Amino acid sequence: MRGLRLKFMLWLYDHSSRIYAKIFKAGKTPWGIAKEDFLNYPKNSLGYKLGQFYRDKGFDVMPTLENHDVFHILTETDTEIKDEIAMQYLLFGNSKLSFYLIGMLLVGTFIFPEHFRYYRSSFRKGQTMKKFHHLEFKEYLHMDVQVLRQSFYTKHIYAYIKY
């Protein structure tokens, strides 16, 4: 039964993310950076870590959804289905609100209720972080990933992030 639930969620996530990108990100400009080019950024930079992420996970860049992959890096959230659902909880805790997010929360929680404690802790983590879900991280690809992570929790570093 778990295998069937997992296959369904993978299918749903794959198809819904494409539809989400077409409908809700239609006006957004893709970054236009090939996944191999991210590895040309300085070591320890967000750009380089994103290149490692794509290489290690075997993922391709999804145009207009690049920020989502950055969220995984900056929040240190993995990419298994339970983690994708937890990421949506984290973003919800960070005050992001969208039809897609609410749908993933409802469906994901219903299908994988055994991970609810993880989801709740992810929501709380999002609440403790400064708002970041609205930032366009292309501007920060050159920055040290640890500095960016710390900026979500520390006021004096957070000043370097433009709003």
Side-chain angles (χ1 to χ4, degrees):
M1 183 66 167
R2 181 169 170 24
L4 186 60
R5 292 184 300 160
L6 187 59
K7 285 181 183 180
F8 173 73
M9 275 306 288
L10 286 170
W11 177 86
L12 182 63
Y13 182 76
D14 183 48
H15 287 77
S16 66
S17 62
R18 293 171 201 243
I19 293 167
Y20 174 76
K22 281 183 181 179
I23 295 172
F24 296 105
K25 301 291 184 175
K28 186 177 180 211
T29 304
W31 290 4
I33 304 172
K35 69 179 185 177
E36 302 81 18
D37 293 338
F38 286 107
L39 293 171
N40 294 326
Y41 279 86
K43 300 256 193 268
N44 297 322
S45 71
L46 177 61
Y48 186 81
K49 295 294 183 185
L50 191 54
Q52 286 181 315
F53 174 84
Y54 289 133
R55 182 192 64 209
D56 296 348
K57 298 287 183 184
F59 293 162
D60 288 319
V61 176
M62 291 180 64
T64 71
L65 297 177
E66 298 92 346
N67 266 356
H68 180 82
D69 297 328
V70 169
F71 295 161
H72 281 283
I73 293 164
L74 293 177
T75 64
E76 300 177 279
T77 304
D78 206 351
T79 58
E80 299 293 321
I81 284 297
K82 69 178 177 17
D83 303 309
E84 289 291 349
I85 298 164
M87 173 65 74
Q88 298 303 317
Y89 270 96
L90 187 147
L91 293 170
F92 187 50
N94 196 248
S95 299
K96 181 174 183 181
L97 192 58
S98 71
F99 177 74
Y100 182 80
L101 181 142
I102 297 298
M104 289 304 287
L105 294 180
L106 293 173
V107 172
T109 304
F110 178 76
I111 293 177
F112 292 103
E114 66 270 23
H115 300 295
F116 186 73
R117 286 185 181 174
Y118 176 37
Y119 303 154
R120 184 176 56 213
S121 70
S122 296
F123 174 80
R124 289 179 178 153
K125 180 178 179 179
Q127 287 180 308
T128 66
M129 301 172 83
K130 293 189 176 56
K131 305 290 182 276
F132 68 88
H133 65 83
H134 63 287
L135 296 173
E136 183 57 51
F137 283 99
K138 183 178 182 182
E139 297 178 39
Y140 305 106
L141 292 174
H142 65 283
M143 288 187 69
D144 184 282
V145 74
Q146 285 303 104
V147 170
L148 282 170
R149 281 183 186 136
Q150 290 171 355
S151 73
F152 295 147
Y153 299 100
T154 311
K155 288 183 181 178
H156 71 279
I157 296 174
Y158 197 62
Y160 294 110
I161 305 296
K162 294 184 255 174
Y163 280 89

